[in-house]
Amino acid sequence: MAKDVGGAGAVLPPAQPSEQERAFARGQGTFRELYHHHLRDRRRERLFVSSIGFFLAFVAARGMALAVVNNIGPFHFIEEGGTHIHHLVWGILLLLLVGYLWAMQIGTGMAGSSRLWSNVTALLFGIGAGLTLDEITLWVLFTDQAYFGAAGKRNIDAVLLYGALLSIGVWGGPLFRAVAMKPFHRN
């Protein structure tokens, strides 16, 4: 559709996508190029990075906790003076750190803010949220049995993993579609 610019009667043809934009739409380009093209909106990128952090922290915490209980590998509970320090404590500390950094306008994603710090704080936020929400039943039941018991395990695992994957898909959707369309060949 043509546009009337400035009401002067001059009509411009619709903007045509550049060759690079057409290539990205076909899924061509390196992963890095596709990432930067499809996640160029910093808010979308921060939400995507945060979702990845959440998912990885949740899966790692749940996996390590199950390994400890089943005596698999070198993992063990962290204790101080006979008290088990749950990983939600580390999650809360990370959330507090990120909140403090954001209060100081570090890594907020605002104009002039470093993209690196923006992504680091978003990742730390996701990790903190994953570690904290993995032990959500402890918020209510205050017992270790709540974590491994049937009361909290099935529903919380399913809901949180589904939510994390859904969030990753929503925020990273354009990137994943482009990568899926990318032809597989050696460079």
Side-chain angles (χ1 to χ4, degrees):
M1 177 188 301
K3 292 183 182 179
D4 181 1
V5 288
V11 177
L12 295 177
Q16 297 295 318
S18 70
E19 180 56 39
Q20 184 180 31
E21 289 172 327
R22 285 194 296 274
F24 286 145
R26 292 188 304 268
Q28 296 173 336
T30 66
F31 180 81
R32 181 183 173 111
E33 291 170 338
L34 291 170
Y35 177 92
H36 287 292
H37 176 74
H38 291 286
L39 295 173
R40 64 185 170 269
D41 175 23
R42 291 181 75 175
R43 287 181 296 171
R44 177 178 287 272
E45 181 182 32
R46 288 167 51 82
L47 289 164
F48 177 69
V49 169
S50 181
S51 298
I52 294 286
F54 178 91
F55 177 75
L56 293 176
F58 184 89
V59 169
R62 184 58 54 148
M64 285 192 282
L66 291 172
V68 169
V69 169
N70 293 304
N71 295 316
I72 299 171
F75 305 109
H76 57 84
F77 289 130
I78 298 173
E79 295 187 1
E80 178 62 39
T83 301
H84 175 184
I85 309 295
H86 291 271
H87 53 266
L88 73 88
V89 172
W90 309 114
I92 291 168
L93 291 174
L94 271 176
L95 292 173
L96 289 170
L97 171 67
V98 170
Y100 185 72
L101 290 171
W102 285 348
M104 294 187 328
Q105 297 291 315
I106 296 172
T108 59
M110 303 297 285
S113 176
S114 161
R115 186 177 199 138
L116 173 66
W117 275 105
S118 178
N119 286 335
V120 167
T121 57
L123 181 66
L124 291 175
F125 176 81
I127 292 170
L131 292 174
T132 302
L133 290 174
D134 180 51
E135 295 191 318
I136 196 167
T137 53
L138 291 176
W139 299 7
V140 178
L141 300 177
F142 306 115
T143 175
D144 283 345
Q145 282 69 37
Y147 185 79
F148 293 106
K153 192 167 189 265
R154 286 184 294 266
N155 290 339
I156 292 171
D157 285 355
V159 169
L160 292 179
L161 284 173
Y162 174 77
L165 286 172
L166 179 65
S167 183
I168 290 169
V170 167
W171 302 115
L175 170 65
F176 294 135
R177 281 190 293 279
V179 169
M181 293 176 60
K182 182 176 174 59
F184 292 99
H185 63 280
R186 293 180 186 221
N187 292 336

